[in-house]
Amino acid sequence: MREIAILGIGQTPIAEQWEKSLRQLAGEALAAAMADAHIDAPQVQALCVGNMLSGPLNRQENIGALIADWAGLRNIEASKIEAACGSGAAAFRAGLMAVASGEHDVVAVVGVEKMTETGSSSTTSGLASAADADWEAAQGLSFVAINALVMRRYMHEFGWKHDDFAPFSINAHANAAHNPNARLHESITMKDYSRARMVADPINLLDASPIGDGAAAILLCPADRLHSNGHPIITVAASASATDSIAVHDRFDPMTLAAAQLSAQKAYTQAGVSPEDIDLFELHDAFSIMAALSLEACGFAERGQGVRLGLDDQIGPRGKVPVATRGGLKARGHPVGATGVYQLVELIQQLRGEAGATQVPDAKIGLAQNIGGSGATVVTHILRRN
Amino acid sequence: MREIAILGIGQTPIAEQWEKSLRQLAGEALAAAMADAHIDAPQVQALCVGNMLSGPLNRQENIGALIADWAGLRNIEASKIEAACGSGAAAFRAGLMAVASGEHDVVAVVGVEKMTETGSSSTTSGLASAADADWEAAQGLSFVAINALVMRRYMHEFGWKHDDFAPFSINAHANAAHNPNARLHESITMKDYSRARMVADPINLLDASPIGDGAAAILLCPADRLHSNGHPIITVAASASATDSIAVHDRFDPMTLAAAQLSAQKAYTQAGVSPEDIDLFELHDAFSIMAALSLEACGFAERGQGVRLGLDDQIGPRGKVPVATRGGLKARGHPVGATGVYQLVELIQQLRGEAGATQVPDAKIGLAQNIGGSGATVVTHILRRN
C-alpha cells in the first residue's frame, strides 16, 4: 500500500457524558484532530466512523452523514464501519484503504460510542450482540460470561491462579492515573484486586474494563504529501485484519486467538519487524484474560504463558513489553466502537514522545491490536516514528 | 483507481424468510456468486458486508466475521459497513477500495437484511434510525412520514397531483412480475394506485416499497486479473459517494437531493459520460417521490420535473431512461441494507443481457444509485460492458 502518515489526533475524555450527544462527542474529537493537524474542515475529503452500538443504544444509524455534517464536513463521503469492539481499528483500516487506493488524500477516522445513558440491561444485551446471537447469547451467555469461561479454562489448562492475572490490572490502573482522558484514575493494589466483587466467576470487577462515552479521531494523508505540522513524522508500517468463528466453542483451539495471531503475523511481515522490535503494545485488555491471550497471539509469550510477563514485571512503561501505557481498556476505559481509535491515538502519543509520566523511553515502533468479540474480528497495526 | 471487474453475482429471493437466519441468507447469496464466478471459497480474500439493522432487529453485530465463517471464509478480513439504506452500495464501494488499494485481489461484497421476523413496531423504529434521532425521530416522525412531508411539498411547489406519480409504481410492478427474486409479482393499474390505502398522506401503500428478508452478493477482482468466467466482461466505470444533512429541514433546498447530485456528477466525470449515455438507471425508489427526485439529481430531468418522464412513458425497459427494470425497491423489495447490492446485481444482469423479459436492448452503460436516509448518504456507481 501507498505509505500513509498521521496528520493529527484528537480525543475526548472517557466518562459518563450524558450532557453530550453522539455527534457532539465525535465532533469534539474531530475538531481536536484538525487543530492538532493544523488543517481546516474543507481539506478533509472523507470520514470513516468506527462505532458498534449507535443503533440499539442511541436509536441512530447513518452516523457517517450525521457526524460529517455536525463536524463541518457536510457533503463529503462518510460511512460507519462495524466490527463489534474492533470497530475503531476497522474504521482506521478503511481510512487507510481510502487513501491507499488514491481515492482520497485527507481522510478522517473517528471512533465514537455513547453507551452509559441507556439502562444497563440494554447495554449488556447490546454487548452480547458481539457474540453469536443464535449459539451463545440465546443460551443466556452475556459477553463477560463468555470471557469467564475462557479464563476458567485457561487457569485449568495452564495451572494459573486468579491472582496471577493481577499485574495486568495493576499496571493499567497505574498508567491511567496519569492520563487525563482516562475513565478511571485510581491506582489499585494486589489486595484491591483479590477482594474485588465477582462479576462472572473467575472474572471480577478488576478483571473487567469499564464502558464509557467518548470519541477519538485521527487524520490520515499520504506520507509524501505530509506538510510540516510540528509533530514527529509517524507512518503506518503495517495494517492487517483477520477473523475467526464468533462462537468460542467453534474454534479449533479456544485457548488461541487465531485471528490475532494471523493478523499480527501479516503485520510483522509487512513492517519487516518481529516482536523483539516492538517498543510498546497497546493491546485489547477488555478482560485480563484477553491481555494474556493477546500477548501470546502476538508472539511475546508462549501458549499459556502470557501472564508470566506480568508476574515478571515486564509490562510497565519501562518493561520489556509495555502494555496499556495510557491505561488500556481496563482503566482508560472501553467505549466499545471507539476503543480501537483510542489505542492508536495513544500509540501515536507515545511515538511522538507526548505520553508524559508513562512515556516509554525512545519509543519508535509500536503495535496496536483491536479485537471484536472474543477474538472474532481482529485488526492489527504497526506504527513507526520516522 | 485501478480498474475493477465483476467476477460473479448471486442473490436470494426477497420474501419473509423466517426459516432462514441472517447468516444463512448471506451465505446463500455468496455461494451463488462463487458458483457464478466459477471460483471456490479459498480464493476470496476479504468480505464487505452491507447491513443496517442486524443490531436492533437480529441482536447480532460483528456479522463480518459471522458471515465469513458461515460462508466457508473463516479467517479472512471482514467487516460491516453501515450507511442506513445506502449500506449495500457503501459496502460495494469499500470492496472496490480494498481491491484498488492493492490490499486484496478477490473481494466479496454481500448485502443482507432480515427484518420481517421482529414486531412491526421495532422495524419502524429501526428504520427511523436512518433519520435524525434528536431532531426528527424524537418528534414522532417515522421514516415514511418524513418522505410524506417531502412529497407534499414537491406537489405543492411544482403543481403535481398524486396520480402523476403512478407511472413509477406501475412500471416497477410490471417489471417485477418477471423477476423470480422479487418480493411482489402482481402488476398494478392506475386504479389500484389511486385507491391504495393511505400510509402517511400523500404516500399510499403503492408509493412505498415493501421491506423483506434477502441477500445479494458480488465478487470483485482487478480487471487485468479477470479469468474467463463465461460472462461478458463488466467493469466499474465510476464510484462516488457524498453526504448531506440527515435532517431534511437542515438542507439548503429540501427539494434537491444534493448528495445524489454531487455523487452523480463525480461519477459522470470519472466515467467520462453524461446522462444521455446511460442505458438504464437502477434508482432508489423507496418512495415514488424519491424516484422523481433521483431522476432530477442525476440530470435526467429539471428540478421539479422528474415525474414527467413517467407520464411521458420514458421509464420502461424500452424508454429513454429505463428505471427499476427488475422491479426496483417498490416491487423487487427493499431489504434495506441489502438493497444497494441488489441494484448492482440487477444492473450487471442487464449489462450481461440476462434480464429476460425486461431486458433493456443492448444495455452497455448503467447507473445505480443507493440512498441512505432521505438523501443523507448517497453512493453512485456506473458500470460498463467492455
Side-chain angles (χ1 to χ4, degrees):
Chain A
M1 293 215 290
R2 194 176 175 194
E3 192 177 28
I4 296 170
I6 305 301
L7 200 51
I9 55 174
Q11 61 181 311
T12 74
I14 298 175
E16 289 196 18
Q17 305 209 44
W18 290 30
E19 76 290 5
K20 287 178 188 164
S21 67
L22 190 83
R23 75 187 89 186
Q24 285 175 303
L25 290 169
E28 282 185 20
L30 283 165
M34 286 189 257
D36 181 68
H38 301 291
I39 66 164
D40 298 319
Q43 293 176 254
V44 179
Q45 298 167 309
L47 173 68
C48 297
V49 179
N51 170 273
M52 177 182 176
L53 293 170
S54 73
L57 298 191
N58 314 118
R59 295 174 178 271
Q60 182 71 71
E61 291 293 0
N62 216 358
I63 63 174
L66 184 89
I67 293 168
D69 186 30
W70 180 262
L73 307 171
R74 185 183 286 197
N75 292 149
I76 68 165
E77 167 161 27
S79 61
K80 161 175 159 175
I81 293 90
E82 190 279 325
C85 308
S87 300
F92 183 78
R93 187 161 156 76
L96 293 179
M97 290 207 217
V99 179
S101 65
E103 189 66 10
H104 297 295
D105 278 335
V106 177
V107 172
V109 177
V110 66
V112 59
E113 205 77 66
K114 184 169 164 63
M115 53 195 309
T116 69
E117 204 175 348
T118 56
S120 63
S121 76
S122 71
T123 302
T124 297
S125 122
L127 290 171
S129 70
D132 191 312
D134 296 338
W135 300 104
E136 291 181 323
Q139 316 308 320
L141 277 171
S142 66
F143 196 63
V144 58
I146 291 168
N147 284 276
L149 292 173
V150 174
M151 186 169 178
R152 173 63 70 199
R153 177 74 203 174
Y154 184 94
M155 290 163 66
H156 168 79
E157 196 160 326
F158 304 110
W160 299 107
K161 303 183 307 294
H162 179 258
D163 279 357
D164 296 331
F165 293 84
F168 293 122
S169 300
I170 294 171
N171 170 63
H173 277 267
N175 294 340
H178 302 285
N179 176 0
N181 293 305
R183 178 90 157 99
L184 305 172
H185 292 106
E186 304 75 21
S187 289
I188 62 162
T189 63
M190 185 69 212
K191 201 196 247 180
D192 295 328
Y193 178 80
S194 300
R195 293 182 179 180
R197 185 161 57 83
M198 193 56 71
V199 180
D201 192 7
I203 291 182
N204 74 21
L205 201 61
L206 290 177
D207 287 305
S209 55
I211 61 162
D213 309 327
I218 302 177
L219 289 163
L220 298 168
C221 73
D224 55 16
R225 302 216 184 169
L226 186 70
H227 61 278
S228 169
N229 59 8
H231 305 294
I233 295 171
I234 313 295
T235 56
V236 180
S239 173
S241 183
T243 55
D244 199 351
S245 74
I246 288 207
V248 174
H249 61 249
D250 273 343
R251 304 209 180 134
F252 298 112
D253 172 14
M255 294 295 103
T256 298
L257 297 179
Q261 207 169 43
L262 267 170
S263 62
Q265 280 163 355
K266 277 190 217 170
Y268 289 139
T269 304
Q270 273 178 42
V273 301
S274 62
E276 301 80 59
D277 301 312
I278 300 297
D279 295 317
L280 73 148
F281 177 19
E282 288 303 334
L283 49 64
H284 193 92
D285 55 335
F287 303 100
S288 48
I289 178 64
M290 292 303 282
L293 293 176
S294 296
L295 283 164
E296 296 166 23
C298 293
F300 296 101
E302 294 297 310
R303 183 170 182 276
Q305 302 304 312
V307 290
R308 196 176 294 283
L309 283 162
L311 295 170
D312 290 349
D313 204 17
Q314 293 299 325
I315 59 171
R318 293 175 175 272
K320 198 175 137 211
V321 191
V323 305
T325 66
R326 306 288 281 161
L329 281 64
K330 175 64 202 81
R332 169 243 294 132
H334 186 25
V336 291
T339 290
V341 185
Y342 272 99
Q343 291 178 307
L344 288 159
V345 163
E346 292 162 355
L347 183 51
I348 293 161
Q349 289 181 319
Q350 286 282 0
L351 297 176
R352 282 182 177 179
E354 298 172 356
T358 58
Q359 177 68 46
V360 172
D362 194 34
K364 279 200 71 173
I365 301 177
L367 179 70
Q369 189 173 66
N370 189 202
I371 302 183
S374 297
T377 310
V378 185
V379 191
T380 305
H381 286 100
I382 297 174
L383 271 56
R384 191 196 304 260
R385 172 160 51 86
N386 284 28
Chain B
M1 292 213 293
R2 196 177 175 194
E3 192 177 28
I4 296 170
I6 305 301
L7 200 52
I9 54 175
Q11 60 181 313
T12 75
I14 298 174
E16 288 195 19
Q17 305 209 45
W18 291 30
E19 77 289 5
K20 286 179 188 163
S21 67
L22 189 83
R23 74 188 90 185
Q24 285 175 304
L25 290 169
E28 283 185 19
L30 284 164
M34 286 189 257
D36 181 69
H38 301 291
I39 66 164
D40 297 319
Q43 294 176 254
V44 178
Q45 298 167 309
L47 174 68
C48 298
V49 179
N51 170 272
M52 177 182 176
L53 294 169
S54 73
L57 298 191
N58 314 118
R59 295 174 178 271
Q60 182 71 71
E61 291 292 0
N62 217 357
I63 63 174
L66 184 90
I67 293 169
D69 187 30
W70 180 262
L73 307 172
R74 187 183 286 196
N75 293 149
I76 68 165
E77 167 161 25
S79 61
K80 161 174 158 175
I81 293 91
E82 190 278 328
C85 308
S87 301
F92 183 78
R93 187 161 157 75
L96 293 179
M97 291 206 216
V99 179
S101 65
E103 189 66 9
H104 297 296
D105 277 336
V106 178
V107 172
V109 178
V110 66
V112 59
E113 204 78 66
K114 183 168 164 65
M115 54 196 306
T116 69
E117 204 175 347
T118 56
S120 62
S121 76
S122 70
T123 302
T124 297
S125 121
L127 290 172
S129 69
D132 191 312
D134 296 338
W135 299 104
E136 292 182 322
Q139 317 308 320
L141 277 170
S142 66
F143 196 63
V144 58
I146 291 167
N147 284 275
L149 292 173
V150 174
M151 187 170 176
R152 174 62 71 200
R153 176 74 202 175
Y154 184 93
M155 290 163 66
H156 168 78
E157 194 159 329
F158 304 111
W160 299 107
K161 304 183 305 296
H162 180 259
D163 279 358
D164 296 330
F165 292 83
F168 293 122
S169 300
I170 294 171
N171 170 64
H173 277 267
N175 294 340
H178 303 284
N179 177 359
N181 294 306
R183 177 90 158 99
L184 305 173
H185 292 105
E186 305 77 19
S187 289
I188 61 162
T189 63
M190 184 69 211
K191 202 197 248 178
D192 295 329
Y193 179 80
S194 299
R195 291 182 180 179
R197 184 160 57 81
M198 192 56 71
V199 179
D201 192 8
I203 292 181
N204 75 21
L205 201 62
L206 289 177
D207 287 305
S209 56
I211 61 163
D213 309 328
I218 302 176
L219 290 163
L220 297 169
C221 73
D224 55 15
R225 302 217 183 167
L226 185 70
H227 62 279
S228 170
N229 59 7
H231 305 294
I233 295 171
I234 313 293
T235 56
V236 180
S239 172
S241 182
T243 55
D244 199 351
S245 74
I246 288 207
V248 174
H249 61 248
D250 272 342
R251 303 208 181 135
F252 298 114
D253 172 14
M255 294 295 102
T256 298
L257 297 178
Q261 208 170 42
L262 266 169
S263 63
Q265 280 163 354
K266 276 190 219 171
Y268 289 140
T269 304
Q270 272 177 42
V273 301
S274 62
E276 301 81 57
D277 301 312
I278 300 298
D279 295 318
L280 73 148
F281 177 20
E282 288 303 335
L283 49 64
H284 192 93
D285 55 336
F287 302 100
S288 46
I289 178 64
M290 292 302 284
L293 293 177
S294 296
L295 283 164
E296 296 165 24
C298 292
F300 297 101
E302 294 296 310
R303 184 169 180 276
Q305 302 304 313
V307 290
R308 196 175 295 282
L309 283 161
L311 295 170
D312 289 350
D313 204 17
Q314 293 300 325
I315 59 172
R318 292 174 177 274
K320 197 174 135 211
V321 191
V323 305
T325 67
R326 307 288 281 160
L329 281 64
K330 176 64 202 83
R332 169 244 292 132
H334 185 26
V336 291
T339 290
V341 185
Y342 272 99
Q343 290 178 308
L344 287 158
V345 163
E346 292 162 356
L347 182 53
I348 293 160
Q349 291 181 317
Q350 285 283 2
L351 298 176
R352 282 180 176 180
E354 298 174 355
T358 58
Q359 177 68 46
V360 172
D362 194 33
K364 278 200 71 173
I365 302 177
L367 180 70
Q369 189 173 65
N370 190 201
I371 302 183
S374 296
T377 309
V378 185
V379 191
T380 305
H381 286 99
I382 297 174
L383 270 55
R384 191 197 304 260
R385 172 159 52 84
N386 284 26

